[in-house]
Amino acid sequence: MANTTVSIEIPASVDAVWQLMGGFDSLPDWLPFIPKSVIKEGGRTRTLTTSDGGTVIERLEAFDNRERRYSYSIIQAPFPVVDYLSTISVHATEDSTVSRVEWTGRFTPVNVSNEDAEALFSEIYRDGLQALKNNFPA
């Protein structure tokens, strides 16, 4: 099993950041490479369309509004992994005008090394968190 964690500090309160990114169907609101999300199964799954026309289907595994985090698994995607589970969360910092967002994932690589799979998701998370931060100019 492989894993990766990426975090970023954002110049906004935890409530403001969670308001934008805390919904399971909110990726198109802040993530440019996911322009479309369709919720199914009463909000338990989302079908994402990527900017290059690909499809990713994910299942909501846990949601905690108070702790400002949710976890999801991948049902179908073009990634070389199985048993994928990810959590995205928002945390307060000592400065109430700055929050820290953390995106973590664990997965089992298929036909690629742990390092290659970790590098792939580290890049996805890093690019995604930078896109989120871009919604909150300093």
Side-chain angles (χ1 to χ4, degrees):
M1 182 146 294
N3 63 74
T4 189
T5 298
V6 175
S7 64
I8 195 168
E9 289 197 350
I10 295 179
S13 71
V14 291
D15 290 334
V17 174
W18 183 246
Q19 179 68 34
L20 177 60
M21 54 76 59
F24 188 55
D25 194 34
S26 69
L27 289 180
D29 296 340
W30 60 271
L31 197 56
F33 51 87
I34 302 293
K36 184 178 178 186
S37 174
V38 176
I39 289 289
K40 295 180 180 173
E41 295 184 28
R44 292 184 307 274
T45 64
R46 64 185 177 194
T47 300
L48 307 172
T49 302
T50 63
S51 56
D52 63 0
T55 299
V56 177
I57 301 173
E58 298 173 335
R59 176 174 301 284
L60 181 64
E61 299 291 347
F63 183 89
D64 189 328
N65 194 56
R66 285 188 181 181
E67 295 294 321
R68 297 180 190 92
R69 71 173 171 235
Y70 68 83
S71 299
Y72 63 94
S73 59
I74 291 179
I75 298 170
Q76 173 189 323
F79 305 125
V81 299
V82 295
D83 303 323
Y84 176 96
L85 181 66
S86 181
T87 299
I88 190 164
S89 55
V90 185
H91 305 273
T93 66
E94 289 185 20
D95 181 345
S96 64
T97 65
V98 176
S99 57
R100 182 176 50 83
V101 179
E102 183 176 280
W103 203 343
T104 184
R106 69 176 199 253
F107 35 83
T108 301
V110 177
N111 298 323
V112 297
S113 69
N114 281 7
E115 294 77 17
D116 287 346
E118 289 169 351
L120 170 68
F121 285 102
S122 291
E123 180 179 2
I124 290 170
Y125 297 170
R126 205 170 20 257
D127 291 351
L129 291 177
Q130 184 59 54
L132 177 62
K133 183 177 182 176
N134 292 345
N135 285 274
F136 298 95

